Each structure stands twice: as structure tokens, then as C-alpha cells.
């Protein structure tokens, strides 16, 4: 719509916003009318109309099999569009049109904003399936007529009342028509079923909807006046009501075809099962977070026991081996601690990397500064856990073998994300300025237990590659290339 309006018309950005607001709401008009809607806007030179939006009904057959958006029509070819635009009134005169052997009734509704007619809605009703209308259909059509008059008067849609049509109730979900006193004149079968889920034992027709709704909602104090007013349809609002064994979603639409409220439409949707599933998911998420929290506590307990055992060891080699185990367990505990605070099985790995770097640097005998550049980004838990352990081993190896005790130096960890959502890569580089690799060192054949763990995790579990090469000037550079999912 934006491109078509800016390319062909003289409408301002505020006019365009009004059209967007209208299009976000006009599924309601289409469903109540059982008709297709096409929005026509006059071009900049006033000689043609351009169709900028189209809507098909969910309640009846379509009149247009083809997409009409972007079509240009010369002024004069469709007199009803001209009359609605020039006179600013709803035009219903004219015989039905025949399209592919289907009779179609065409009406034109001017779209007004602040006294100016911006365009015209062509309402096209397929007459092939017309039959004697039921009470439901009559209520739909009367409500559609009231909304059309409000559009022509510039009082619908309601300014500042942006509606999420995916989440809001629709006409087919349930419709209640109220009079000016908020007394129910008609309730569709779906609407009545929704109120029965709340605990209503009688019919809705003849009752004051606001009072009936407030009585069905559990309350420990006085009647909720806000709920009474909302369910009475005095203002365009949405809410949810829970009572009995059900939850229903309400949306009130005041009807003011001539500027004075003559009644209201209340759309209602039974969302009982939807809310039940949401609560189950919340409970499941809470359970998963609690599991991660307990795993983290258990790992910290294991780490504490290993530290106690290390202090009792007489062998320096044995004590160092236990301390290395403490660091490995600690890196896994950091991941589980982060997962225990998230709503899904994904973590922001930059925070984990910073904590791992600080943990390893804190216990290093060398005076080495460690820093991170770039972003790891968000990683899945099955990637984050082994990667945290790999990063711990690589950093520990650099601090232990690249520098002598009390020697000063630096280690830089850089991360670069790239690729597509389905084929992303994470390139990690750990660069130190220490003594470098010994002559003839082959990381794929030689190395201590830590490097063996790194190779196993990177190549076996993460499906990536690992290499150690001399640094550009001095020291050692470790390169890790890991496949990850990349969110754009």
C-alpha cells in the first residue's frame, strides 16, 4: 500500500496512516457484509483510480478470483466510484454486474478523514448464493450498514485503537448486538456458547450485557464497574473475562452511524483451550528452568567437593588435575545457570564467555590481561554447553603454557558470526602473545588432555574444525570454526 499510495496519489503520510488503520479493521466490515472490499484512491492528476488494498470475506463466497491490488481504472468507467468520491455519500444505485456468469451487487463507500474524502471502498457482494436471510444474517447486514455509515462519516476506525486482528475476536467467533441501553438484541450461537462456558444458565437476549458479564466473573468485592462499562459497549476496548470453566475474549465496538450511539457490537471468542495451553507451557518452562537451576547447584557442589579433595592431596600433579576438573565443571555450571534464567533453551553466549574468561584469568599465576572482541550472539543450549567447555580449555592452555609465572602478557578472544539462518558459522579466534608453539608441534597429533577434549568436542559434538598456528608476530593463535543457527 505504501508504494502504491506514494507513487500514484497525493495523500500525506497521516492520510496513509488512516488508510492503514482502516485496512487493519476492515475484515470486520467484509465479514458482516458477506462481501469483497476493494479500496480505490484517486491518482495525483485525478484522472484515474488505483486499488491499494483488497479483502475477501470469511463468511461468504468471493466476487473476485483475481488480485485487484495495483489495478488502475480511468475516472468515468465506474460511475458509482465517481459519485461516492464527489458527493461523499454511500452509493447503492445501479443494477448488479455480471462477472464470469456471477451476479455481483456493487456499492461504494467514501472513506472520510477530517472532512476530506481520501478514497472509496467498493463493496462487492456475490449474489449467486443469496437466499432468505436468517436472523444472524440480518444482524450482520444491519451492523455492516452502520459501520459503512461510520466510515463515510469519518468516525470509523477509531483513532488510536490499533487492533491486532490475529489476536482479536472475529465475526465468526461470536457476535452480540446491543441497543443503546446495552440490552442484548441478538447473540450468535457461538457467542451464546462462549457465555455458557462462563456459567450462564439462561439466554442472553433481553439481558444487560455489562451486568450479566460482571456477575459471571468471580469477584470478592463490589461489582467491577470497569468491566460493566466495557461489556456494555460504551467505548472501543478489549478485555478477557474468566469465570466458571471458561475464558472469553471480548471486543466492544460502539455504533454511531449518525454521530450518536445507537448500540454496540461485542465480538467474543472462547479462548479457554488457548489459555489452558499457555498455562501448560508456562508451567513447562518453569519446570525446565528449575531443572537447570538444580543441575547448576549440583555441579557447584561437585566442584566444591573436588576443591576440598585437591587441598588434601599431597601430590602436586594430582592437585592440579583436580583443579582442572573444577574449572571444567564450573564452565558447564555457568551455562546451566544462564539457562535457568531464560524462557527457552537458548542463551546469550557473550555473558557466558565473559564469565569463563574471568574465571580462568583469576586463577592464572601469570599477570595476563584477557579481553573479548566481537559477539558470539545467541546460541542453542546444545551448542553453548560444549562451547563453554572448549573455551575454558583453550584459555587455560594459553595461560598455562604460553606464559611463565608472573610474566605479563595478553590474550584476546574474538568471535564473528556469519552465514544464513540455516547455514551459519561462528568463527572464534584465541590469540596470545606468549612464547609460541614448540618446534614440531602438531595440535592434531600431540597435546595434553585439555587439547584432546577440545578436539573431541569441536569436531565430534559440534561438527566444526579446530587448529593451532603461530601468531602473526609472536605467540599462538587458536582458530575454532563451528556451525550454528543464525537469526537475522
Amino acid at each position: 500500500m505504501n508504494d502504491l499510495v506514494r507513487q500514484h496519489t497525493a495523500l500525506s503520510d497521516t492520510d496513509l496512516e488512516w488508510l492503514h488503520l482502516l485496512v487493519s479493521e476492515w475484515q470486520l466490515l467484509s465479514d458482516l457484509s458477506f462481501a469483497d472490499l476493494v479500496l480505490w484512491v484517486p491518482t495525483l492528476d485525478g484522472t484515474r483510480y488505483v486499488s491499494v488494498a483488497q479483502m475477501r470475506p470469511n463468511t461468504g463466497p468471493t466476487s473476485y478470483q483475481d488480485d485487484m491490488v495495483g489495478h488502475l481504472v480511468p475516472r468515468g468507467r465506474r460511475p458509482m466510484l465517481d459519485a461516492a468520491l464527489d458527493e461523499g455519500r454511500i452509493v447503492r444505485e445501479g443494477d448488479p454486474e455480471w462477472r464470469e456468469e456471477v451476479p455481483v451487487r456493487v456499492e461504494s463507500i467514501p472513506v472520510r478523514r477530517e472532512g476530506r474524502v481520501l478514497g472509496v471502498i467498493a463493496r462487492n457482494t456475490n449474489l449467486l448464493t443469496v437466499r432468505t436471510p436468517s436472523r444472524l444474517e440480518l444482524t450482520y447486514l444491519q451492523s455492516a450498514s452502520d459501520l459503512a455509515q461510520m466510515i463515510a462519516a469519518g468516525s470509523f476506525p477509531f483513532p488510536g485503537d490499533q487492533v491486532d486482528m490475529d489476536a482479536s475476536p472475529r465475526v465468526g467467533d461470536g457476535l452480540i448486538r446491543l441497543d443503546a441501553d446495552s440490552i442484548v438484541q441478538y447473540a450468535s450461537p457461538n457467542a451464546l456458547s462462549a457465555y455458557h462456558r462462563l456459567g450462564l444458565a439462561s439466554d442472553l437476549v433481553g439481558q444487560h450485557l455489562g451486568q450479566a458479564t460482571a456477575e459471571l466473573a468471580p469477584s470478592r468485592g463490589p461489582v467491577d464497574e470497569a468491566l460493566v462499562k466495557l461489556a456494555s459497549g460504551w467505548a472501543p476496548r478489549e478485555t478477557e473475562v474468566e469465570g466458571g470453566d471458561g475464558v472469553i475474549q471480548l471486543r466492544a465496538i460502539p455504533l454511531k452511524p449518525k454521530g450518536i450511539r445507537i448500540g454496540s457490537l461485542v465480538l467474543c471468542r472462547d479462548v479457554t483451550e488457548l489459555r489452558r495451553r499457555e498455562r501448560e507451557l508456562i508451567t513447562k518452562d518453569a519446570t525446565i528452568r528449575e531443572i537447570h537451576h538444580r543441575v547448576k547447584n549440583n555441579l557447584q557442589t561437585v566442584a566444591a567437593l573436588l576443591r576440598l579433595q585437591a587441598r588434601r592431596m599431597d601430590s602436586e600433579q594430582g592437585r592440579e588435575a583436580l583443579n582442572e576438573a573444577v574449572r571444567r565443571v564450573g564452565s558447564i555450571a555457568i551455562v546451566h545457570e544462564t539457562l535457568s534464567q531464560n524462557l527457552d533453551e537458548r542463551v546469550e553466549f557473550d555473558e557466558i564467555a565473559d564469565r569463563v574468561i574471568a574465571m580462568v584469568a583469576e586463577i592464572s599465576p601469570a599477570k595476563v590481561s584477557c579481553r573479548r572482541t566481537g559477539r558470539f550472539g545467541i546460541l542453542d543450549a546444545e551448542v553453548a554447553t560444549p562451547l563453554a567447555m572448549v573455551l575454558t580449555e583453550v584459555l587455560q592452555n594459553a595461560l598455562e603454557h604460553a606464559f611463565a609465572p608472573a610474566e605479563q602478557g595478553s590474550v584476546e578472544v574474538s568471535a564473528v558470526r556469519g552465514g544464513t539462518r540455516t547455514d551459519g558459522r561462528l568463527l572464534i579466534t584465541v590469540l596470545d602473545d606468549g612464547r609460541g608453539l614448540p618446534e614440531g608441534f602438531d595440535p592434531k597429533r600431540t597435546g595434553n588432555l585439555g587439547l584432546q577434549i577440545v578436539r573431541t568436542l569441536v569436531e565430534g559434538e559440534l561438527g566444526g574444525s579446530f587448529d593451532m598456528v603461530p601468531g602473526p608476530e609472536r605467540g599462538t593463535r587458536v582458530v575454532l570454526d563451528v556451525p550454528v543457527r543464525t537469526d537475522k
Side-chain angles (χ1 to χ4, degrees), residues 7 60 100 111 125 167 175 197 200 281 294 344 372 404 424 464 483:
Q7 179 181 354
E100 298 179 357
V111 177
T125 306
L175 179 141
R197 291 290 293 272
L200 181 71
L281 288 174
R294 294 189 181 188
D344 55 15
R372 172 180 62 85

Side-chain angles (χ1 to χ4, degrees), residues 452-486:
Q452 293 177 19
I453 292 175
V454 170
R455 282 199 301 271
T456 301
L457 292 177
V458 172
E459 297 175 358
E461 188 162 344
L462 295 176
S465 61
F466 159 72
D467 198 9
M468 291 181 71
V469 296
E473 298 180 2
R474 56 174 298 186
T476 304
R477 180 168 61 187
V478 177
V479 180
L480 307 169
D481 188 357
V482 178
V484 294
R485 186 174 70 179
T486 302

Side-chain angles (χ1 to χ4, degrees), residues 205-237:
V205 175
Q207 295 200 46
H208 188 284
L209 186 65
Q211 296 176 359
T213 304
E215 290 172 0
L216 293 171
S219 176
R220 297 177 181 176
V223 174
D224 189 342
E225 295 296 334
L227 180 58
V228 172
K229 188 171 183 179
L230 188 149
S232 299
W234 284 95
R237 295 287 187 273

Side-chain angles (χ1 to χ4, degrees), residues 28-34 90 92 109 123 138-151 177 255 265:
L28 175 64
L29 177 62
S30 178
D31 290 345
L32 289 172
S33 304
F34 309 98
I90 298 176
R92 297 190 175 92
I109 305 167
R123 181 164 56 175
L138 289 173
T139 303
Y140 277 20
L141 293 171
Q142 179 58 53
S143 302
S145 176
D146 294 334
L147 284 178
Q149 293 182 56
M150 292 170 65
I151 292 173
R177 173 86 185 214
L255 297 176
L265 285 182

Side-chain angles (χ1 to χ4, degrees), residues 424-450:
R425 311 293 298 183
L426 173 60
L427 184 65
I428 306 166
T429 303
V430 180
L431 177 63
D432 67 69
D433 58 359
R435 66 186 68 167
L437 296 172
E439 186 176 351
F441 180 82
D442 183 358
K444 296 184 179 180
R445 297 178 179 271
T446 59
N448 54 24
L449 175 62

